[in-house]
Short mmCIF file of all heavy atoms in Angstrom, two decimals:
data_model
loop_
_atom_site.label_atom_id
_atom_site.label_comp_id
_atom_site.label_asym_id
_atom_site.label_seq_id
_atom_site.Cartn_x
_atom_site.Cartn_y
_atom_site.Cartn_z
N ASP A 54 15.68 -4.59 0.06
CA ASP A 54 16.22 -3.67 1.05
C ASP A 54 15.52 -2.31 0.97
O ASP A 54 14.96 -1.95 -0.07
CB ASP A 54 17.72 -3.50 0.82
CG ASP A 54 18.43 -2.92 2.02
OD1 ASP A 54 17.89 -3.03 3.13
OD2 ASP A 54 19.54 -2.37 1.85
N ASP A 55 15.57 -1.58 2.09
CA ASP A 55 15.06 -0.20 2.15
C ASP A 55 13.60 -0.08 1.71
O ASP A 55 13.20 0.89 1.06
CB ASP A 55 15.93 0.73 1.28
CG ASP A 55 17.35 0.80 1.78
OD1 ASP A 55 17.58 0.59 2.99
OD2 ASP A 55 18.26 1.05 0.95
N PHE A 56 12.79 -1.07 2.09
CA PHE A 56 11.37 -1.02 1.72
C PHE A 56 10.69 0.13 2.47
O PHE A 56 10.90 0.34 3.65
CB PHE A 56 10.67 -2.35 2.09
CG PHE A 56 9.31 -2.49 1.50
CD1 PHE A 56 9.15 -3.03 0.24
CD2 PHE A 56 8.19 -2.08 2.20
CE1 PHE A 56 7.88 -3.16 -0.32
CE2 PHE A 56 6.92 -2.20 1.66
CZ PHE A 56 6.77 -2.74 0.39
N GLY A 57 9.87 0.88 1.71
CA GLY A 57 9.18 2.02 2.30
C GLY A 57 9.83 3.35 1.98
O GLY A 57 9.28 4.40 2.31
N SER A 58 10.99 3.32 1.29
CA SER A 58 11.68 4.57 0.98
C SER A 58 11.27 5.13 -0.38
O SER A 58 11.65 6.23 -0.74
CB SER A 58 13.21 4.35 0.99
OG SER A 58 13.56 3.39 0.01
N GLY A 59 10.50 4.36 -1.17
CA GLY A 59 10.08 4.82 -2.49
C GLY A 59 8.61 4.56 -2.72
O GLY A 59 7.90 4.10 -1.83
N TYR A 60 8.17 4.83 -3.96
CA TYR A 60 6.75 4.71 -4.26
C TYR A 60 6.39 3.41 -4.98
O TYR A 60 5.24 3.07 -5.11
CB TYR A 60 6.32 5.89 -5.15
CG TYR A 60 6.45 7.22 -4.47
CD1 TYR A 60 7.52 8.07 -4.75
CD2 TYR A 60 5.52 7.62 -3.51
CE1 TYR A 60 7.66 9.29 -4.12
CE2 TYR A 60 5.65 8.85 -2.87
CZ TYR A 60 6.72 9.68 -3.18
OH TYR A 60 6.84 10.88 -2.56
N SER A 61 7.41 2.69 -5.46
CA SER A 61 7.11 1.53 -6.30
C SER A 61 7.36 0.22 -5.58
O SER A 61 7.35 -0.83 -6.19
CB SER A 61 7.97 1.58 -7.58
OG SER A 61 9.34 1.58 -7.24
N ASN A 62 7.61 0.26 -4.24
CA ASN A 62 8.00 -0.96 -3.54
C ASN A 62 6.94 -2.05 -3.60
O ASN A 62 7.26 -3.23 -3.70
CB ASN A 62 8.31 -0.64 -2.08
CG ASN A 62 9.58 0.20 -1.93
OD1 ASN A 62 9.73 0.94 -0.98
ND2 ASN A 62 10.49 0.09 -2.89
N PHE A 63 5.66 -1.69 -3.52
CA PHE A 63 4.60 -2.70 -3.54
C PHE A 63 4.53 -3.39 -4.89
O PHE A 63 4.13 -4.54 -4.98
CB PHE A 63 3.24 -2.06 -3.19
CG PHE A 63 3.10 -1.80 -1.71
CD1 PHE A 63 3.35 -0.56 -1.18
CD2 PHE A 63 2.75 -2.83 -0.84
CE1 PHE A 63 3.25 -0.33 0.18
CE2 PHE A 63 2.64 -2.61 0.52
CZ PHE A 63 2.89 -1.35 1.05
N GLU A 64 4.95 -2.68 -5.95
CA GLU A 64 5.00 -3.31 -7.27
C GLU A 64 6.05 -4.41 -7.27
O GLU A 64 5.86 -5.46 -7.89
CB GLU A 64 5.35 -2.26 -8.33
CG GLU A 64 5.33 -2.80 -9.75
CD GLU A 64 5.67 -1.75 -10.79
OE1 GLU A 64 6.08 -0.64 -10.40
OE2 GLU A 64 5.54 -2.06 -11.99
N HIS A 65 7.17 -4.20 -6.54
CA HIS A 65 8.19 -5.24 -6.44
C HIS A 65 7.62 -6.50 -5.78
O HIS A 65 7.89 -7.62 -6.22
CB HIS A 65 9.38 -4.76 -5.61
CG HIS A 65 10.00 -3.49 -6.11
ND1 HIS A 65 9.93 -3.09 -7.41
CD2 HIS A 65 10.72 -2.52 -5.45
CE1 HIS A 65 10.57 -1.94 -7.56
NE2 HIS A 65 11.04 -1.56 -6.38
N LEU A 66 6.81 -6.32 -4.74
CA LEU A 66 6.23 -7.46 -4.03
C LEU A 66 5.31 -8.25 -4.94
O LEU A 66 5.22 -9.47 -4.87
CB LEU A 66 5.48 -6.99 -2.79
CG LEU A 66 6.31 -6.27 -1.72
CD1 LEU A 66 5.42 -5.89 -0.54
CD2 LEU A 66 7.46 -7.14 -1.26
N ALA A 67 4.59 -7.51 -5.80
CA ALA A 67 3.63 -8.17 -6.69
C ALA A 67 4.33 -8.92 -7.81
O ALA A 67 3.83 -9.95 -8.28
CB ALA A 67 2.68 -7.13 -7.28
N LYS A 68 5.49 -8.43 -8.26
CA LYS A 68 6.13 -9.00 -9.45
C LYS A 68 7.35 -9.87 -9.15
O LYS A 68 7.83 -10.56 -10.05
CB LYS A 68 6.54 -7.87 -10.40
CG LYS A 68 5.34 -7.11 -10.97
CD LYS A 68 5.78 -6.08 -12.01
CE LYS A 68 4.57 -5.41 -12.64
NZ LYS A 68 4.94 -4.43 -13.67
N LEU A 69 7.85 -9.82 -7.92
CA LEU A 69 9.04 -10.59 -7.59
C LEU A 69 8.74 -11.56 -6.45
O LEU A 69 8.05 -11.22 -5.49
CB LEU A 69 10.18 -9.65 -7.17
CG LEU A 69 10.65 -8.64 -8.23
CD1 LEU A 69 11.65 -7.67 -7.62
CD2 LEU A 69 11.25 -9.34 -9.44
N ASN A 70 9.26 -12.76 -6.57
CA ASN A 70 9.04 -13.81 -5.58
C ASN A 70 10.08 -13.68 -4.48
O ASN A 70 11.14 -14.28 -4.52
CB ASN A 70 9.13 -15.18 -6.28
CG ASN A 70 8.87 -16.32 -5.31
OD1 ASN A 70 8.33 -16.12 -4.22
ND2 ASN A 70 9.26 -17.52 -5.72
N ILE A 71 9.79 -12.87 -3.43
CA ILE A 71 10.78 -12.55 -2.40
C ILE A 71 10.44 -13.24 -1.09
O ILE A 71 9.32 -13.73 -0.88
CB ILE A 71 10.92 -11.04 -2.18
CG1 ILE A 71 9.62 -10.47 -1.62
CG2 ILE A 71 11.32 -10.35 -3.47
CD1 ILE A 71 9.77 -9.05 -1.15
N ASP A 72 11.43 -13.29 -0.18
CA ASP A 72 11.27 -13.96 1.11
C ASP A 72 11.31 -12.98 2.28
O ASP A 72 10.73 -13.27 3.34
CB ASP A 72 12.39 -14.99 1.29
CG ASP A 72 12.40 -16.03 0.18
OD1 ASP A 72 11.50 -16.86 0.14
OD2 ASP A 72 13.32 -15.96 -0.68
N TYR A 73 12.00 -11.85 2.10
CA TYR A 73 12.14 -10.88 3.19
C TYR A 73 11.88 -9.47 2.67
O TYR A 73 12.26 -9.12 1.55
CB TYR A 73 13.56 -10.90 3.78
CG TYR A 73 13.94 -12.17 4.50
CD1 TYR A 73 14.60 -13.19 3.81
CD2 TYR A 73 13.68 -12.35 5.86
CE1 TYR A 73 14.98 -14.34 4.45
CE2 TYR A 73 14.07 -13.50 6.51
CZ TYR A 73 14.71 -14.50 5.80
OH TYR A 73 15.10 -15.65 6.45
N ILE A 74 11.27 -8.66 3.55
CA ILE A 74 11.19 -7.21 3.35
C ILE A 74 12.03 -6.57 4.44
O ILE A 74 11.75 -6.78 5.64
CB ILE A 74 9.73 -6.70 3.44
CG1 ILE A 74 8.89 -7.24 2.30
CG2 ILE A 74 9.71 -5.18 3.46
CD1 ILE A 74 7.40 -6.92 2.46
N LYS A 75 13.05 -5.79 4.05
CA LYS A 75 13.83 -5.05 5.03
C LYS A 75 13.28 -3.62 5.06
O LYS A 75 13.41 -2.87 4.09
CB LYS A 75 15.31 -5.06 4.67
CG LYS A 75 15.94 -6.45 4.72
CD LYS A 75 17.45 -6.41 4.77
CE LYS A 75 17.94 -6.00 6.14
NZ LYS A 75 19.41 -6.09 6.29
N ILE A 76 12.62 -3.28 6.15
CA ILE A 76 11.96 -1.98 6.27
C ILE A 76 13.01 -0.89 6.44
O ILE A 76 13.94 -1.01 7.25
CB ILE A 76 10.98 -1.97 7.46
CG1 ILE A 76 9.97 -3.11 7.29
CG2 ILE A 76 10.26 -0.64 7.57
CD1 ILE A 76 9.09 -3.35 8.51
N ASP A 77 12.88 0.17 5.65
CA ASP A 77 13.88 1.24 5.62
C ASP A 77 14.13 1.82 7.01
O ASP A 77 13.19 2.08 7.76
CB ASP A 77 13.41 2.34 4.66
CG ASP A 77 14.48 3.39 4.46
OD1 ASP A 77 15.53 3.06 3.89
OD2 ASP A 77 14.28 4.54 4.89
N GLY A 78 15.41 2.01 7.34
CA GLY A 78 15.80 2.48 8.66
C GLY A 78 15.22 3.84 9.02
O GLY A 78 15.03 4.14 10.22
N SER A 79 14.94 4.69 8.02
CA SER A 79 14.38 6.02 8.32
C SER A 79 13.00 5.92 8.96
O SER A 79 12.58 6.83 9.68
CB SER A 79 14.31 6.85 7.04
OG SER A 79 13.41 6.26 6.10
N LEU A 80 12.31 4.78 8.72
CA LEU A 80 10.99 4.58 9.34
C LEU A 80 11.10 3.98 10.74
O LEU A 80 10.16 4.08 11.54
CB LEU A 80 10.13 3.64 8.47
CG LEU A 80 9.78 4.15 7.07
CD1 LEU A 80 9.12 3.04 6.26
CD2 LEU A 80 8.87 5.37 7.15
N ILE A 81 12.27 3.37 11.04
CA ILE A 81 12.44 2.64 12.30
C ILE A 81 13.11 3.48 13.38
O ILE A 81 12.74 3.42 14.56
CB ILE A 81 13.26 1.36 12.06
CG1 ILE A 81 12.56 0.45 11.02
CG2 ILE A 81 13.49 0.59 13.35
CD1 ILE A 81 11.20 -0.05 11.44
N VAL A 82 14.09 4.30 13.00
CA VAL A 82 14.99 4.90 13.98
C VAL A 82 14.25 5.72 15.04
O VAL A 82 14.64 5.70 16.22
CB VAL A 82 16.06 5.76 13.25
CG1 VAL A 82 15.44 6.95 12.53
CG2 VAL A 82 17.15 6.17 14.21
N ASN A 83 13.17 6.40 14.66
CA ASN A 83 12.42 7.21 15.64
C ASN A 83 10.96 6.76 15.75
O ASN A 83 10.08 7.55 16.10
CB ASN A 83 12.46 8.69 15.24
CG ASN A 83 13.86 9.26 15.34
OD1 ASN A 83 14.57 9.00 16.30
ND2 ASN A 83 14.25 10.02 14.32
N ILE A 84 10.70 5.51 15.50
CA ILE A 84 9.32 5.03 15.43
C ILE A 84 8.59 5.12 16.77
O ILE A 84 7.36 5.21 16.82
CB ILE A 84 9.30 3.57 14.90
CG1 ILE A 84 7.87 3.19 14.48
CG2 ILE A 84 9.88 2.61 15.92
CD1 ILE A 84 7.80 1.85 13.78
N ASP A 85 9.36 5.14 17.86
CA ASP A 85 8.72 5.17 19.17
C ASP A 85 8.01 6.49 19.45
O ASP A 85 7.19 6.58 20.36
CB ASP A 85 9.72 4.85 20.29
CG ASP A 85 10.97 5.69 20.20
OD1 ASP A 85 11.23 6.27 19.12
OD2 ASP A 85 11.71 5.77 21.20
N HIS A 86 8.32 7.54 18.68
CA HIS A 86 7.57 8.79 18.85
C HIS A 86 7.23 9.46 17.52
O HIS A 86 7.04 10.67 17.45
CB HIS A 86 8.35 9.77 19.75
CG HIS A 86 9.74 10.06 19.26
ND1 HIS A 86 10.83 9.38 19.74
CD2 HIS A 86 10.20 10.93 18.33
CE1 HIS A 86 11.91 9.83 19.14
NE2 HIS A 86 11.55 10.78 18.26
N ALA A 87 7.16 8.64 16.42
CA ALA A 87 6.77 9.17 15.11
C ALA A 87 5.54 8.41 14.63
O ALA A 87 5.63 7.26 14.18
CB ALA A 87 7.92 9.03 14.12
N TYR A 88 4.37 9.07 14.74
CA TYR A 88 3.10 8.38 14.48
C TYR A 88 3.01 7.90 13.02
O TYR A 88 2.53 6.79 12.75
CB TYR A 88 1.92 9.33 14.78
CG TYR A 88 0.58 8.73 14.45
CD1 TYR A 88 0.02 7.74 15.27
CD2 TYR A 88 -0.12 9.13 13.30
CE1 TYR A 88 -1.21 7.17 14.97
CE2 TYR A 88 -1.35 8.56 13.00
CZ TYR A 88 -1.89 7.59 13.82
OH TYR A 88 -3.10 7.02 13.51
N LEU A 89 3.48 8.73 12.07
CA LEU A 89 3.38 8.35 10.67
C LEU A 89 4.22 7.11 10.38
O LEU A 89 3.77 6.19 9.68
CB LEU A 89 3.85 9.50 9.76
CG LEU A 89 3.76 9.26 8.24
CD1 LEU A 89 2.33 8.95 7.82
CD2 LEU A 89 4.30 10.46 7.47
N SER A 90 5.40 7.05 10.95
CA SER A 90 6.26 5.88 10.78
C SER A 90 5.60 4.64 11.38
O SER A 90 5.65 3.54 10.80
CB SER A 90 7.62 6.10 11.44
OG SER A 90 8.34 7.12 10.79
N GLN A 91 4.96 4.80 12.53
CA GLN A 91 4.26 3.68 13.16
C GLN A 91 3.17 3.13 12.24
O GLN A 91 3.03 1.92 12.05
CB GLN A 91 3.63 4.12 14.48
CG GLN A 91 4.63 4.50 15.56
CD GLN A 91 3.95 5.13 16.78
OE1 GLN A 91 2.73 5.01 16.95
NE2 GLN A 91 4.75 5.79 17.61
N THR A 92 2.42 4.03 11.63
CA THR A 92 1.33 3.63 10.75
C THR A 92 1.85 2.87 9.54
O THR A 92 1.32 1.81 9.16
CB THR A 92 0.54 4.87 10.28
OG1 THR A 92 0.07 5.58 11.43
CG2 THR A 92 -0.62 4.46 9.39
N ILE A 93 2.93 3.39 8.93
CA ILE A 93 3.49 2.76 7.71
C ILE A 93 4.07 1.39 8.05
O ILE A 93 3.80 0.40 7.35
CB ILE A 93 4.57 3.66 7.08
CG1 ILE A 93 3.95 4.96 6.56
CG2 ILE A 93 5.28 2.93 5.94
CD1 ILE A 93 4.96 5.97 6.09
N VAL A 94 4.85 1.28 9.12
CA VAL A 94 5.49 0.01 9.49
C VAL A 94 4.43 -1.02 9.86
O VAL A 94 4.52 -2.20 9.48
CB VAL A 94 6.49 0.22 10.63
CG1 VAL A 94 6.99 -1.13 11.16
CG2 VAL A 94 7.65 1.07 10.17
N GLU A 95 3.41 -0.59 10.59
CA GLU A 95 2.33 -1.51 10.97
C GLU A 95 1.63 -2.05 9.72
O GLU A 95 1.32 -3.25 9.63
CB GLU A 95 1.34 -0.79 11.87
CG GLU A 95 0.40 -1.71 12.63
CD GLU A 95 -0.36 -0.99 13.72
OE1 GLU A 95 -0.46 0.26 13.64
OE2 GLU A 95 -0.83 -1.67 14.63
N MET A 96 1.41 -1.19 8.75
CA MET A 96 0.75 -1.60 7.50
C MET A 96 1.63 -2.58 6.74
O MET A 96 1.16 -3.60 6.22
CB MET A 96 0.47 -0.37 6.64
CG MET A 96 -0.18 -0.68 5.30
SD MET A 96 -0.37 0.79 4.28
CE MET A 96 1.35 1.20 3.97
N VAL A 97 2.95 -2.27 6.64
CA VAL A 97 3.88 -3.15 5.92
C VAL A 97 3.96 -4.51 6.59
O VAL A 97 3.92 -5.56 5.92
CB VAL A 97 5.28 -2.51 5.83
CG1 VAL A 97 6.30 -3.50 5.29
CG2 VAL A 97 5.25 -1.26 4.96
N ALA A 98 4.07 -4.54 7.92
CA ALA A 98 4.18 -5.81 8.65
C ALA A 98 2.92 -6.65 8.46
O ALA A 98 3.00 -7.87 8.26
CB ALA A 98 4.42 -5.53 10.13
N SER A 99 1.76 -6.01 8.53
CA SER A 99 0.49 -6.72 8.34
C SER A 99 0.39 -7.28 6.93
O SER A 99 -0.01 -8.44 6.74
CB SER A 99 -0.67 -5.77 8.62
OG SER A 99 -1.90 -6.39 8.35
#
């Protein structure tokens, strides 16, 4: 949960066998006009 809200999230992906990433709502709520949020979410989804 809340992926993208901290600095160690990618370490979790590397060390834990997970099925879903729930992208933190602070990156989503205004993504339609927040360029930085768009960049981060696009990178996470890819």
Side-chain angles (χ1 to χ4, degrees):
D54 198 22
D55 297 334
F56 192 88
S58 61
Y60 296 102
S61 59
N62 291 153
F63 283 98
E64 184 180 9
H65 304 334
L66 298 181
K68 294 185 176 181
L69 299 173
N70 182 17
I71 65 169
D72 302 289
Y73 294 93
I74 294 172
K75 296 197 75 173
I76 303 171
D77 187 66
S79 63
L80 297 171
I81 301 298
V82 65
N83 293 317
I84 195 173
D85 51 342
H86 55 264
Y88 176 75
L89 182 58
S90 294
Q91 294 172 16
T92 303
I93 295 172
V94 171
E95 196 168 20
M96 178 184 66
V97 170
S99 175

